[in-house]
Amino acid sequence: SIDLLLRRLRDSEDYSRSVLQTAVDGIISIDDTGTILTCNQAAEGLFGYAADELNGENVSRLMPEPHRSQHSEYLRRYLRTGEARVIGSSRTVSGVRKDGSEFPLEIAIGESIQEGHRIFTAVMRDVTLQSRAQLELRTSQRLLQATFDTIPFPLTVKDRHSRYLMVNRGWLEHYGIKDAAQVLHRSALDIATRPIADREHAVALDQRVLRGDEKVVVAEIDRTTSDGERRRFRTYKTALLGPQGDRKST
């Protein structure tokens, strides 16, 4: 009956509204002019606005410059050409709170047609903590590499497949390699500037400590230096345990 159909429609709307309001991520829907149609409680918390302060406003107020000024043109260009730059993909952008502060925002935008009207829905989350952690990690890595480079003798860290994770300046100079990017994440067997016998011997020594046969391997080895001279060196190898208990050689 008509009454049953109307009741089901109301129930469906209530369910959708409940899902929208209880979602952990911020959700904002706009029309094809950029006007905000709906926003959930999580979006209110993200930006510091109440829903009635946002509904009917242009979504560009939640963006910093120059994106704020360019957003309407982006929408018009998309509607005219169908060329999407952010729709259908996830990316990190900057959002602007009510108090004017900016924060990193991970956003995914979808598109739908409702009653003949084009609707864009953005799902967002604050990634301030992740961005801060990534910055701290990069800073720690730079500090570690700088410390690594002050050690005057050749030093490397490899994974269990003998792929280089870190090399210091002394090691690069020893083998006449100008850029660490030439060797990082490559196996010792792939470094063409070293004789194959040297590479195979290095991997064999790595495996002795990676298998746990010995805590420290000390070996006298013959190596060809960057100037082509064959010299004897003493090498020390030991295993480091990674965060998942995986072994790395150094």
Side-chain angles (χ1 to χ4, degrees), residues 18-19 28 30 33 58 63 65 70 73 90 96 98 104 112 119 127 164-165 168 172 175 184 193 201 209 234 248-249:
S18 175
V19 170
I28 290 179
I30 65 172
T33 69
N58 195 284
M63 306 173 187
E65 294 291 359
Q70 297 172 350
E73 175 55 31
S90 176
V96 177
K98 184 178 180 178
S112 62
I119 305 297
V127 291
Y164 292 99
L165 301 177
N168 74 342
L172 292 172
Y175 287 106
L184 292 180
T193 55
H201 190 200
V209 293
R234 177 173 294 163
K248 298 175 175 63
S249 69

Side-chain angles (χ1 to χ4, degrees), residues 25 40 90 107 180 222 248:
D25 293 331
N40 69 347
S90 176
I107 183 169
D222 292 323
K248 298 175 175 63

Side-chain angles (χ1 to χ4, degrees), residues 51-151:
D52 58 8
E53 294 180 278
L54 290 178
N55 292 337
E57 297 292 326
N58 195 284
V59 72
S60 62
R61 74 183 299 178
L62 305 178
M63 306 173 187
E65 294 291 359
H67 307 293
R68 179 178 297 176
S69 300
Q70 297 172 350
H71 187 257
S72 293
E73 175 55 31
Y74 169 75
L75 266 177
R76 286 193 293 268
R77 182 174 59 247
Y78 173 70
L79 294 171
R80 186 174 64 251
T81 67
E83 178 187 350
R85 297 184 181 179
V86 297
I87 296 170
S89 63
S90 176
R91 62 189 301 182
T92 300
V93 299
S94 291
V96 177
R97 297 187 179 94
K98 184 178 180 178
D99 63 9
S101 60
E102 293 188 27
F103 65 105
L105 193 66
E106 185 179 23
I107 183 169
I109 301 176
E111 178 185 9
S112 62
I113 303 294
Q114 298 180 23
E115 298 180 359
H117 298 283
R118 199 183 300 259
I119 305 297
F120 301 96
T121 300
V123 179
M124 302 160 289
R125 65 180 56 178
D126 184 343
V127 291
T128 299
L129 293 180
Q130 295 94 312
S131 297
R132 186 177 301 151
Q134 290 171 355
L135 176 60
E136 291 175 353
L137 177 59
R138 288 194 296 269
T139 301
S140 296
Q141 289 173 331
R142 286 195 295 268
L143 178 60
L144 177 59
Q145 185 65 57
T147 304
F148 214 52
D149 284 335
T150 63
I151 299 172

Side-chain angles (χ1 to χ4, degrees), residues 13-14 20-21 36 47 57 66 73 96 118 134 166 187 202 209 211 214 218 243 248:
E13 290 175 357
D14 290 342
L20 179 70
Q21 293 302 331
I36 297 173
F47 294 100
E57 297 292 326
E73 175 55 31
V96 177
R118 199 183 300 259
Q134 290 171 355
M166 291 184 67
S187 167
V209 293
R211 286 194 303 266
E214 303 168 68
V218 181
K248 298 175 175 63

